[in-house]
Amino acid sequence: MTRQKAPKKSETIEVRVPYGAKTAFAERCRENGQTVSEAVRAFMEREIGGERRSGRGRTRLWHAVAALAAGLALGSIAAPSLAQSAPASRAAFERLDRNHDGVVSYDEFRR
C-alpha cells in the first residue's frame, strides 16, 4: 500500500488589492490564528468543493457557546442579588434628594 503524497504548493497567484484591505485581512487572519496563505487556500478549497476543515472553526464555536453558558449562569446567580439591592438604593436616593423633586442637585449631594 502506498500513501499518496499531498501536492506541493508550487503555484502562486498575484492579486492587487488596496493597502488598507491587505492589512485588515492580514490582521483578521492573525486574530483567527492562521496565515494569509492558509486563509486563501481554505477559501479556494471551499470554492472548488474540496472543503477541508482544520477544526479551528468548531473550536471557536465551542468557546463561544461555553462563554455564553458561563455568562448566563453568572447572570442567573447575580440577578436575584441585584434585584434585592434595589430598595436599598432607592432609600439611599431618597436620603440624598432632600427636597423630594426626583433629582439630586449638586448642593444636595455635597451635604
Side-chain angles (χ1 to χ4, degrees):
M1 287 191 190
T2 59
R3 265 181 53 189
Q4 227 175 359
K5 291 183 180 180
K8 290 185 178 181
K9 299 171 191 143
S10 61
E11 299 301 314
T12 61
I13 298 174
E14 184 176 334
V15 180
R16 297 190 184 280
V17 295
Y19 178 77
K22 176 188 167 196
T23 56
F25 183 64
E27 178 62 29
R28 175 69 55 92
C29 290
R30 261 191 305 282
E31 290 170 0
N32 292 335
Q34 64 184 156
T35 66
V36 171
S37 294
E38 288 172 335
V40 171
R41 279 194 296 270
F43 169 76
M44 290 175 66
E45 289 171 4
R46 283 192 305 272
E47 288 299 307
I48 60 176
E51 188 167 345
R52 183 185 58 140
R53 294 205 172 249
S54 65
R56 289 183 188 156
R58 265 185 255 140
T59 301
R60 220 170 287 129
L61 175 63
W62 281 111
H63 286 181
V65 169
L68 177 64
L72 289 173
L74 183 60
S76 67
I77 293 168
S81 64
L82 291 173
Q84 292 172 359
S85 67
S89 298
R90 186 70 187 164
F93 178 81
E94 294 296 333
R95 282 193 305 274
L96 289 173
D97 186 21
R98 294 181 186 266
N99 63 359
H100 305 291
D101 63 350
V103 178
V104 176
S105 67
Y106 180 71
D107 290 331
E108 289 173 322
F109 179 75
R110 255 187 12 207
R111 292 182 202 162

XYZ file of all heavy atoms in Angstrom:
856
model
N 0.839 -1.181 0.000
C 0.000 0.000 0.000
C 0.880 1.239 0.000
O 1.721 1.394 0.855
C -0.863 0.051 1.242
C -1.970 -0.898 1.278
S -2.948 -0.358 2.675
C -4.020 -1.673 2.813
N 0.610 2.111 -0.919
C 1.366 3.364 -0.985
C 0.436 4.513 -0.670
O -0.678 4.588 -1.184
C 1.995 3.563 -2.376
O 0.953 3.582 -3.339
C 2.997 2.476 -2.689
N 0.929 5.377 0.201
C 0.148 6.575 0.525
C 0.428 7.638 -0.499
O 1.556 7.839 -0.903
C 0.552 7.108 1.893
C -0.353 6.584 2.968
C -0.020 7.105 4.323
N 0.048 8.554 4.399
C 0.496 9.204 5.445
N 0.948 8.547 6.476
N 0.534 10.514 5.467
N -0.612 8.309 -0.913
C -0.451 9.368 -1.886
C 0.005 10.631 -1.172
O -0.544 11.015 -0.146
C -1.775 9.642 -2.588
C -1.628 9.730 -4.056
C -2.986 9.887 -4.722
O -4.022 9.913 -4.087
N -2.955 9.981 -6.027
N 1.034 11.267 -1.700
C 1.544 12.490 -1.110
C 0.642 13.662 -1.494
O 0.069 13.685 -2.566
C 2.962 12.785 -1.599
C 3.989 11.807 -1.088
C 5.356 12.223 -1.573
C 6.411 11.267 -1.071
N 7.747 11.643 -1.533
N 0.572 14.615 -0.578
C -0.184 15.839 -0.873
C 0.565 16.606 -1.954
O 1.791 16.615 -1.982
C -0.315 16.682 0.384
N -0.162 17.247 -2.862
C 0.518 18.004 -3.917
C 1.327 19.156 -3.317
O 0.941 19.745 -2.307
C -0.615 18.520 -4.794
C -1.850 18.352 -4.009
C -1.592 17.331 -2.964
N 2.466 19.421 -3.947
C 3.319 20.509 -3.486
C 2.646 21.842 -3.778
O 1.918 21.997 -4.748
C 4.677 20.458 -4.182
C 5.515 19.298 -3.738
C 6.883 19.375 -4.373
C 7.744 18.235 -3.900
N 9.073 18.280 -4.475
N 2.959 22.798 -2.929
C 2.421 24.152 -3.111
C 3.437 24.945 -3.915
O 4.264 25.662 -3.372
C 2.180 24.808 -1.761
C 1.186 24.047 -0.918
C 1.139 24.607 0.484
C 0.362 23.668 1.359
N 0.899 23.574 2.676
N 3.377 24.795 -5.232
C 4.389 25.428 -6.069
C 3.857 26.590 -6.899
O 4.620 27.308 -7.510
C 4.995 24.385 -7.008
O 3.984 23.863 -7.842
N 2.563 26.764 -6.925
C 1.977 27.815 -7.750
C 1.702 29.062 -6.908
O 1.435 28.976 -5.721
C 0.667 27.334 -8.382
C 0.843 26.125 -9.289
C 1.795 26.402 -10.437
O 1.670 27.463 -11.082
O 2.666 25.554 -10.693
N 1.755 30.210 -7.553
C 1.451 31.473 -6.874
C 0.385 32.219 -7.653
O 0.210 32.016 -8.852
C 2.702 32.378 -6.759
O 3.158 32.686 -8.066
C 3.799 31.701 -5.956
N -0.324 33.073 -6.933
C -1.334 33.930 -7.534
C -1.011 35.352 -7.098
O -0.823 35.612 -5.900
C -2.758 33.561 -7.069
C -3.106 32.144 -7.492
C -3.773 34.557 -7.590
C -4.439 31.660 -6.948
N -0.969 36.273 -8.037
C -0.748 37.674 -7.695
C -2.084 38.383 -7.764
O -2.784 38.328 -8.769
C 0.233 38.327 -8.663
C 0.570 39.748 -8.291
C 1.618 40.361 -9.198
O 2.430 39.622 -9.776
O 1.592 41.595 -9.335
N -2.441 39.035 -6.676
C -3.704 39.751 -6.595
C -3.408 41.168 -6.142
O -2.707 41.376 -5.156
C -4.667 39.078 -5.580
C -5.980 39.827 -5.500
C -4.895 37.630 -5.945
N -3.931 42.139 -6.849
C -3.725 43.533 -6.465
C -4.925 44.002 -5.653
O -6.069 43.900 -6.084
C -3.546 44.399 -7.704
C -2.314 44.004 -8.489
C -2.025 45.023 -9.581
N -0.912 44.602 -10.395
C 0.368 44.744 -10.050
N 0.677 45.277 -8.899
N 1.323 44.339 -10.851
N -4.635 44.468 -4.447
C -5.675 44.956 -3.543
C -5.196 46.250 -2.902
O -3.996 46.497 -2.823
C -5.998 43.921 -2.435
C -6.604 42.663 -3.012
C -4.770 43.587 -1.615
N -6.114 47.082 -2.429
C -5.699 48.297 -1.711
C -4.927 47.925 -0.439
O -5.203 46.898 0.192
C -7.014 48.986 -1.356
C -8.027 48.400 -2.272
C -7.568 47.013 -2.589
N -3.982 48.763 -0.055
C -3.142 48.506 1.102
C -3.983 48.295 2.361
O -3.725 47.386 3.147
C -2.152 49.658 1.311
C -1.287 49.477 2.535
C -0.221 48.594 2.517
C -1.560 50.173 3.708
C 0.565 48.404 3.640
C -0.776 49.995 4.829
C 0.286 49.109 4.798
O 1.062 48.921 5.904
N -5.001 49.122 2.559
C -5.847 49.000 3.747
C -6.552 47.658 3.820
O -6.665 47.064 4.894
N -7.024 47.175 2.671
C -7.697 45.876 2.642
C -6.713 44.761 2.975
O -7.035 43.823 3.708
C -8.331 45.636 1.275
N -5.507 44.872 2.443
C -4.484 43.849 2.700
C -4.137 43.797 4.188
O -4.101 42.716 4.787
C -3.230 44.144 1.896
C -2.096 43.201 2.184
C -0.823 43.666 1.511
C 0.365 42.910 2.057
N 1.618 43.530 1.739
N -3.895 44.954 4.791
C -3.515 44.960 6.200
C -4.668 44.521 7.099
O -4.461 43.806 8.075
C -2.993 46.346 6.634
O -3.980 47.329 6.341
C -1.695 46.693 5.934
N -5.892 44.907 6.754
C -7.057 44.479 7.549
C -7.247 42.969 7.445
O -7.537 42.299 8.444
C -8.311 45.210 7.076
N -7.053 42.412 6.236
C -7.194 40.972 6.056
C -6.104 40.225 6.815
O -6.370 39.212 7.472
C -7.156 40.618 4.568
C -7.365 39.158 4.295
C -8.555 38.543 4.602
C -6.357 38.392 3.719
C -8.757 37.190 4.349
C -6.547 37.048 3.467
C -7.749 36.448 3.782
N -4.874 40.732 6.762
C -3.769 40.091 7.476
C -4.030 40.113 8.982
O -3.764 39.121 9.681
C -2.448 40.788 7.144
N -4.578 41.214 9.495
C -4.893 41.310 10.926
C -5.981 40.307 11.301
O -5.900 39.642 12.323
C -5.327 42.730 11.272
C -5.719 42.925 12.720
C -4.591 42.651 13.692
O -3.406 42.843 13.332
O -4.891 42.225 14.832
N -7.015 40.208 10.463
C -8.088 39.239 10.728
C -7.542 37.822 10.738
O -7.902 37.006 11.583
C -9.186 39.394 9.679
C -10.317 38.377 9.736
C -11.206 38.522 10.952
N -11.750 39.835 11.096
C -12.924 40.231 10.605
N -13.674 39.408 9.935
N -13.338 41.462 10.803
N -6.645 37.526 9.811
C -6.037 36.191 9.773
C -5.257 35.928 11.053
O -5.342 34.840 11.631
C -5.126 36.045 8.557
S -6.026 35.975 6.993
N -4.485 36.928 11.512
C -3.731 36.769 12.760
C -4.673 36.507 13.920
O -4.406 35.655 14.773
C -2.908 38.025 13.043
C -1.460 37.907 12.646
C -0.607 39.044 13.177
N -1.062 40.384 12.833
C -0.881 40.965 11.653
N -0.255 40.327 10.696
N -1.320 42.181 11.425
N -5.790 37.234 13.988
C -6.777 37.025 15.056
C -7.336 35.611 15.019
O -7.654 35.038 16.054
C -7.918 38.034 14.921
C -7.531 39.454 15.247
C -8.623 40.451 14.873
O -9.683 40.036 14.361
O -8.396 41.661 15.078
N -7.469 35.062 13.810
C -8.005 33.709 13.652
C -6.932 32.640 13.779
O -7.220 31.453 13.617
C -8.703 33.570 12.293
C -9.967 34.396 12.234
O -10.576 34.686 13.253
N -10.369 34.780 11.044
N -5.686 33.049 14.017
C -4.610 32.088 14.220
C -4.164 31.387 12.952
O -3.807 30.209 12.998
N -4.201 32.091 11.817
C -3.764 31.481 10.576
C -3.025 32.509 9.727
O -3.116 33.706 9.970
C -4.946 30.890 9.802
C -5.960 31.897 9.334
C -7.163 31.271 8.664
O -8.185 31.880 8.653
N -7.081 30.099 8.124
N -2.276 32.002 8.765
C -1.571 32.896 7.858
C -2.511 33.323 6.741
O -3.564 32.705 6.528
C -0.340 32.207 7.242
O -0.791 31.132 6.402
C 0.607 31.676 8.317
N -2.109 34.373 6.029
C -2.900 34.825 4.883
C -2.976 33.703 3.850
O -4.037 33.444 3.281
C -2.289 36.114 4.279
C -2.964 36.473 2.973
C -2.397 37.262 5.272
N -1.862 33.019 3.622
C -1.850 31.921 2.651
C -2.818 30.816 3.038
O -3.548 30.286 2.190
C -0.434 31.341 2.527
O 0.432 32.293 1.978
N -2.851 30.458 4.333
C -3.785 29.422 4.778
C -5.229 29.844 4.532
O -6.054 29.035 4.094
C -3.580 29.137 6.268
C -2.309 28.401 6.590
C -2.046 28.307 8.087
O -2.532 29.170 8.851
O -1.349 27.370 8.480
N -5.530 31.100 4.793
C -6.896 31.593 4.603
C -7.295 31.561 3.133
O -8.399 31.141 2.783
C -7.030 33.017 5.155
N -6.387 31.975 2.257
C -6.689 31.986 0.823
C -6.827 30.551 0.310
O -7.748 30.240 -0.453
C -5.620 32.771 0.042
C -5.809 32.615 -1.454
C -5.649 34.241 0.436
N -5.937 29.658 0.746
C -6.046 28.255 0.302
C -7.357 27.633 0.781
O -8.025 26.917 0.035
C -4.857 27.446 0.822
C -3.613 27.607 -0.017
C -2.568 26.541 0.301
N -2.072 26.625 1.662
C -1.022 27.357 2.035
N -0.352 28.058 1.146
N -0.637 27.369 3.291
N -7.752 27.909 2.031
C -9.003 27.356 2.550
C -10.195 27.881 1.751
O -11.121 27.127 1.435
C -9.155 27.718 4.028
N -10.174 29.174 1.402
C -11.235 29.743 0.588
C -11.307 29.032 -0.762
O -12.385 28.649 -1.227
C -11.002 31.240 0.379
C -11.914 31.836 -0.654
C -13.239 32.094 -0.352
C -11.453 32.115 -1.928
C -14.080 32.637 -1.312
C -12.290 32.653 -2.886
C -13.611 32.916 -2.580
N -10.153 28.830 -1.388
C -10.132 28.175 -2.696
C -10.648 26.746 -2.602
O -11.432 26.308 -3.460
C -8.707 28.191 -3.265
C -8.250 29.575 -3.680
S -6.527 29.611 -4.218
C -6.626 28.621 -5.707
N -10.258 26.018 -1.572
C -10.724 24.643 -1.405
C -12.230 24.584 -1.212
O -12.902 23.706 -1.753
C -9.997 23.983 -0.238
C -8.547 23.689 -0.556
C -7.750 23.237 0.654
O -8.345 23.080 1.752
O -6.542 23.044 0.511
N -12.778 25.534 -0.446
C -14.241 25.567 -0.273
C -14.932 25.856 -1.592
O -15.971 25.279 -1.908
C -14.621 26.614 0.770
C -14.390 26.187 2.196
C -15.047 27.132 3.195
N -14.640 28.515 3.024
C -13.584 29.087 3.590
N -12.806 28.364 4.366
N -13.306 30.357 3.398
N -14.377 26.782 -2.362
C -14.996 27.172 -3.628
C -14.991 26.054 -4.658
O -15.913 25.937 -5.444
C -14.302 28.414 -4.202
C -14.600 29.690 -3.445
C -16.087 30.033 -3.454
O -16.683 30.083 -4.541
O -16.647 30.241 -2.364
N -13.957 25.232 -4.663
C -13.901 24.147 -5.657
C -14.506 22.857 -5.126
O -14.512 21.843 -5.807
C -12.459 23.904 -6.166
C -11.524 23.522 -5.021
C -11.954 25.107 -6.913
C -10.118 23.165 -5.464
N -15.017 22.880 -3.890
C -15.728 21.723 -3.374
C -14.883 20.758 -2.588
O -15.396 19.781 -2.072
N -13.615 20.975 -2.461
C -12.765 20.077 -1.690
C -12.592 20.610 -0.288
O -11.476 20.762 0.176
N -13.700 20.887 0.371
C -13.638 21.528 1.677
C -12.897 20.655 2.672
O -13.220 19.503 2.892
C -15.049 21.808 2.189
C -15.056 22.634 3.429
C -16.433 23.160 3.747
O -17.298 23.129 2.875
O -16.620 23.582 4.882
N -11.865 21.230 3.244
C -11.069 20.551 4.252
C -11.107 21.425 5.485
O -10.692 22.572 5.455
C -9.639 20.401 3.752
C -8.741 19.658 4.684
C -7.361 19.678 4.133
N -6.957 21.067 3.960
C -5.751 21.537 4.236
N -4.825 20.744 4.642
N -5.457 22.815 4.065
N -11.591 20.888 6.562
C -11.720 21.694 7.778
C -10.553 21.415 8.703
O -10.182 20.283 8.925
C -13.022 21.385 8.490
C -14.211 21.803 7.669
C -15.370 22.060 8.574
N -16.438 22.627 7.786
C -16.835 23.868 7.922
N -16.276 24.650 8.775
N -17.814 24.320 7.190
N -10.041 22.490 9.283
C -8.932 22.346 10.210
C -9.417 22.112 11.635
O -8.636 21.794 12.499
C -8.062 23.609 10.177
O -8.804 24.709 10.651
N -10.697 22.313 11.894
C -11.226 22.154 13.237
C -11.211 23.449 14.028
O -11.790 23.539 15.083
N -10.533 24.475 13.516
C -10.445 25.743 14.241
C -11.806 26.398 14.376
O -12.118 26.976 15.394
C -9.491 26.701 13.549
C -8.071 26.293 13.677
C -7.181 27.319 13.032
N -5.830 26.811 12.996
C -4.927 27.195 12.148
N -5.222 28.098 11.242
N -3.721 26.702 12.175
N -12.618 26.315 13.322
C -13.937 26.937 13.364
C -14.822 26.314 14.425
O -15.516 26.999 15.157
N -14.776 24.984 14.515
C -15.579 24.298 15.522
C -15.101 24.632 16.922
O -15.897 24.812 17.834
C -15.529 22.792 15.302
C -16.702 22.309 14.495
C -16.718 20.823 14.390
N -16.268 20.554 13.031
C -15.461 19.606 12.681
N -14.992 18.772 13.565
N -15.105 19.454 11.433
N -13.788 24.709 17.106
C -13.240 25.048 18.418
C -13.696 26.434 18.828
O -14.106 26.652 19.969
C -11.700 24.990 18.385
O -11.316 23.678 18.007
C -11.110 25.322 19.730
N -13.637 27.378 17.913
C -14.063 28.735 18.213
C -15.549 28.774 18.557
O -15.970 29.509 19.437
C -13.766 29.640 17.012
C -13.261 30.977 17.432
C -12.738 31.797 16.301
N -11.467 31.273 15.843
C -11.176 31.000 14.583
N -12.054 31.233 13.647
N -10.013 30.519 14.249
N -16.352 27.978 17.854
C -17.780 27.918 18.141
C -18.018 27.385 19.557
O -18.824 27.933 20.300
C -18.493 27.033 17.116
C -19.977 26.783 17.368
C -20.748 28.096 17.290
C -20.526 25.784 16.370
N -17.293 26.325 19.932
C -17.459 25.772 21.265
C -17.024 26.758 22.336
O -17.638 26.842 23.396
C -16.700 24.448 21.419
C -17.459 23.323 20.797
C -17.134 22.622 19.689
C -18.719 22.788 21.243
N -18.096 21.687 19.402
C -19.077 21.761 20.342
C -19.563 23.076 22.300
C -20.244 21.033 20.480
C -20.732 22.336 22.440
C -21.057 21.335 21.532
N -15.971 27.533 22.060
C -15.551 28.563 23.020
C -16.648 29.601 23.187
O -16.931 30.045 24.316
C -14.260 29.223 22.561
C -13.057 28.355 22.731
N -11.802 28.764 22.395
C -12.910 27.093 23.205
C -10.940 27.799 22.644
N -11.598 26.775 23.129
N -17.270 30.003 22.095
C -18.347 30.991 22.165
C -19.543 30.435 22.937
O -20.142 31.142 23.754
C -18.773 31.416 20.764
N -19.883 29.174 22.693
C -21.008 28.550 23.401
C -20.695 28.451 24.891
O -21.545 28.745 25.740
C -21.332 27.164 22.804
C -22.292 26.388 23.680
C -21.889 27.312 21.400
N -19.454 28.074 25.230
C -19.063 27.972 26.638
C -19.108 29.338 27.316
O -19.569 29.461 28.460
C -17.667 27.373 26.752
N -18.645 30.378 26.619
C -18.678 31.726 27.186
C -20.121 32.180 27.393
O -20.449 32.800 28.420
C -17.933 32.701 26.278
N -20.989 31.884 26.443
C -22.403 32.236 26.577
C -23.027 31.517 27.768
O -23.736 32.134 28.571
C -23.158 31.892 25.293
C -24.660 32.129 25.315
C -24.951 33.617 25.494
C -25.295 31.621 24.046
N -22.747 30.228 27.909
C -23.292 29.465 29.037
C -22.783 30.009 30.365
O -23.555 30.145 31.326
C -22.926 27.992 28.890
N -21.489 30.342 30.424
C -20.933 30.896 31.657
C -21.575 32.239 31.978
O -21.895 32.527 33.141
C -19.417 31.046 31.528
N -21.781 33.073 30.961
C -22.421 34.366 31.182
C -23.848 34.225 31.678
O -24.281 34.950 32.582
N -24.585 33.290 31.087
C -25.963 33.062 31.539
C -25.997 32.540 32.964
O -26.840 32.947 33.768
C -26.671 32.089 30.595
C -27.013 32.643 29.214
C -27.546 31.534 28.312
C -28.013 33.770 29.318
N -25.069 31.635 33.301
C -25.018 31.096 34.662
C -24.694 32.200 35.658
O -25.324 32.320 36.712
C -23.981 29.975 34.745
N -23.710 33.021 35.322
C -23.333 34.124 36.204
C -24.484 35.120 36.340
O -24.772 35.600 37.440
C -22.089 34.830 35.663
C -21.536 35.962 36.510
C -21.138 35.444 37.882
C -20.343 36.587 35.826
N -25.160 35.399 35.240
C -26.294 36.317 35.281
C -27.432 35.796 36.137
O -28.061 36.550 36.879
N -27.693 34.488 36.056
C -28.778 33.925 36.850
C -28.451 33.943 38.338
O -29.342 34.016 39.177
C -29.093 32.494 36.396
O -27.998 31.642 36.695
N -27.151 33.906 38.657
C -26.749 33.995 40.064
C -26.803 35.442 40.544
O -27.243 35.734 41.647
C -25.332 33.412 40.259
C -25.352 31.909 39.996
C -24.784 33.716 41.642
C -23.983 31.293 39.883
N -26.346 36.367 39.706
C -26.247 37.771 40.111
C -27.589 38.493 40.088
O -27.806 39.410 40.879
C -25.261 38.494 39.202
N -28.488 38.114 39.203
C -29.750 38.843 39.040
C -30.565 38.926 40.326
O -31.034 40.011 40.674
C -30.571 38.228 37.911
N -30.755 37.839 41.071
C -31.539 37.966 42.298
C -30.909 38.911 43.313
O -31.608 39.680 43.968
C -31.589 36.532 42.845
C -31.362 35.668 41.660
C -30.434 36.450 40.765
N -29.597 38.886 43.433
C -28.956 39.776 44.409
C -29.067 41.228 43.969
O -29.193 42.124 44.801
C -27.492 39.388 44.619
O -26.762 39.557 43.427
N -29.026 41.484 42.672
C -29.201 42.851 42.178
C -30.621 43.334 42.419
O -30.838 44.496 42.760
C -28.865 42.925 40.691
C -27.394 42.747 40.332
C -27.235 42.682 38.816
C -26.552 43.857 40.916
N -31.589 42.451 42.240
C -32.982 42.826 42.450
C -33.242 43.147 43.915
O -34.010 44.045 44.231
C -33.899 41.695 41.984
N -32.589 42.450 44.831
C -32.785 42.695 46.257
C -32.167 44.015 46.697
O -32.607 44.613 47.657
C -32.200 41.552 47.072
C -32.967 40.262 46.901
C -32.255 39.095 47.560
O -31.191 39.248 48.125
N -32.860 37.923 47.465
N -31.136 44.475 45.989
C -30.479 45.710 46.413
C -31.212 46.957 45.926
O -30.886 48.048 46.343
C -29.033 45.736 45.919
O -29.011 45.826 44.519
N -32.216 46.826 45.078
C -32.929 47.975 44.539
C -33.604 48.808 45.626
O -33.488 50.030 45.624
C -33.928 47.539 43.483
N -34.317 48.209 46.598
C -34.925 49.036 47.647
C -33.879 49.805 48.459
O -34.103 50.953 48.837
C -35.666 48.020 48.527
C -35.940 46.875 47.621
C -34.752 46.822 46.688
N -32.738 49.200 48.709
C -31.685 49.894 49.461
C -31.170 51.079 48.654
O -30.906 52.153 49.212
C -30.550 48.933 49.784
N -31.041 50.916 47.345
C -30.602 52.011 46.502
C -31.637 53.128 46.500
O -31.282 54.308 46.511
C -30.383 51.525 45.061
O -29.385 50.548 45.024
N -32.895 52.763 46.469
C -33.970 53.760 46.470
C -33.961 54.554 47.778
O -34.137 55.768 47.787
C -35.330 53.062 46.268
C -36.469 54.003 46.114
C -36.370 54.702 44.805
N -37.384 55.745 44.736
C -37.383 56.713 43.872
N -36.427 56.777 42.970
N -38.310 57.617 43.866
N -33.727 53.864 48.887
C -33.686 54.540 50.181
C -32.508 55.506 50.242
O -32.639 56.626 50.768
C -33.591 53.520 51.311
N -31.371 55.116 49.694
C -30.204 55.997 49.671
C -30.493 57.226 48.815
O -30.129 58.349 49.185
C -28.985 55.244 49.138
N -31.167 57.030 47.683
C -31.520 58.158 46.821
C -32.466 59.111 47.555
O -32.300 60.326 47.497
C -32.162 57.660 45.522
C -32.598 58.776 44.616
C -31.679 59.404 43.792
C -33.918 59.207 44.603
C -32.070 60.450 42.977
C -34.320 60.236 43.778
C -33.388 60.865 42.959
N -33.438 58.550 48.255
C -34.401 59.379 48.987
C -33.698 60.222 50.049
O -34.072 61.372 50.284
C -35.487 58.509 49.641
C -36.393 57.796 48.660
C -37.233 58.749 47.821
O -37.523 59.877 48.273
O -37.595 58.366 46.702
N -32.667 59.659 50.701
C -31.924 60.426 51.701
C -31.167 61.579 51.062
O -31.045 62.658 51.641
C -30.949 59.517 52.453
C -31.613 58.659 53.506
C -30.603 58.018 54.439
N -29.576 57.246 53.750
C -29.672 55.966 53.382
N -30.796 55.316 53.635
N -28.696 55.359 52.777
N -30.633 61.365 49.839
C -29.893 62.418 49.147
C -30.828 63.496 48.586
O -30.489 64.676 48.591
C -29.053 61.825 48.004
C -27.850 60.994 48.412
C -27.239 60.334 47.181
C -26.815 61.868 49.119
N -31.976 63.093 48.097
C -32.925 64.020 47.476
C -33.742 64.708 48.571
O -34.892 64.362 48.836
C -33.834 63.248 46.512
C -34.747 64.164 45.725
O -34.425 65.368 45.604
O -35.772 63.675 45.226
N -33.167 65.722 49.195
C -33.774 66.357 50.372
C -35.077 67.092 50.059
O -35.990 67.118 50.880
C -32.785 67.306 51.021
C -31.600 66.562 51.599
C -30.632 67.517 52.272
N -29.434 66.814 52.691
C -29.247 66.316 53.893
N -30.180 66.418 54.791
N -28.120 65.701 54.173
N -35.197 67.675 48.862
C -36.437 68.393 48.544
C -37.433 67.509 47.787
O -38.466 67.970 47.357
C -36.142 69.671 47.759
C -35.495 69.400 46.416
O -35.245 68.258 46.063
N -35.208 70.467 45.688
N -37.117 66.268 47.612
C -38.000 65.252 47.009
C -38.554 65.654 45.651
O -39.730 65.444 45.352
C -39.143 64.883 47.968
C -38.645 64.445 49.300
N -37.977 63.258 49.488
C -38.680 65.050 50.523
C -37.635 63.133 50.752
N -38.046 64.216 51.410
N -37.678 66.239 44.811
C -38.094 66.609 43.459
C -37.696 65.544 42.422
O -37.925 65.716 41.236
C -37.513 67.970 43.061
C -35.992 67.978 43.001
O -35.362 66.995 43.445
O -35.437 68.970 42.499
N -37.124 64.435 42.875
C -36.739 63.366 41.966
C -35.383 63.569 41.321
O -34.950 62.760 40.505
N -34.683 64.633 41.693
C -33.364 64.937 41.143
C -32.449 65.289 42.306
O -32.836 66.065 43.200
C -33.442 66.125 40.152
C -32.062 66.482 39.622
C -34.386 65.809 39.011
N -31.238 64.744 42.293
C -30.260 65.108 43.318
C -29.389 66.209 42.744
O -28.640 65.993 41.796
C -29.400 63.889 43.732
C -28.326 64.315 44.729
C -30.273 62.798 44.312
N -29.524 67.399 43.301
C -28.717 68.528 42.833
C -27.307 68.412 43.425
O -27.068 67.633 44.357
C -29.352 69.853 43.235
O -29.298 70.002 44.641
N -26.403 69.228 42.920
C -25.036 69.221 43.424
C -25.006 69.615 44.898
O -24.289 69.013 45.701
C -24.159 70.167 42.594
C -22.727 70.199 43.068
C -21.886 69.108 42.876
C -22.217 71.314 43.718
C -20.580 69.126 43.326
C -20.907 71.346 44.168
C -20.081 70.246 43.971
O -18.791 70.265 44.412
N -25.802 70.621 45.283
C -25.849 71.049 46.684
C -26.376 69.923 47.585
O -25.855 69.717 48.681
C -26.719 72.298 46.842
C -26.068 73.527 46.224
O -24.824 73.569 46.190
O -26.816 74.431 45.783
N -27.416 69.219 47.118
C -27.941 68.098 47.904
C -26.891 67.007 48.053
O -26.735 66.414 49.115
C -29.190 67.517 47.240
C -30.413 68.417 47.331
C -31.566 67.889 46.519
O -31.338 67.352 45.407
O -32.720 68.017 46.969
N -26.160 66.751 46.982
C -25.127 65.715 47.010
C -23.991 66.100 47.956
O -23.490 65.267 48.695
C -24.585 65.468 45.596
C -23.504 64.430 45.543
C -23.821 63.097 45.667
C -22.180 64.805 45.399
C -22.824 62.135 45.629
C -21.177 63.861 45.354
C -21.500 62.519 45.476
N -23.591 67.368 47.935
C -22.495 67.843 48.781
C -22.819 67.686 50.264
O -21.951 67.407 51.063
C -22.191 69.307 48.483
C -20.946 69.478 47.697
C -20.513 70.893 47.527
N -21.185 71.870 48.367
C -21.328 73.128 48.053
N -20.869 73.595 46.914
N -21.934 73.973 48.864
N -24.050 67.894 50.635
C -24.457 67.802 52.051
C -24.463 66.359 52.448
O -24.307 65.859 53.415
C -25.853 68.386 52.256
C -25.880 69.846 52.039
C -27.261 70.372 52.305
N -27.397 71.644 51.601
C -28.520 72.204 51.333
N -29.645 71.625 51.668
N -28.570 73.353 50.721
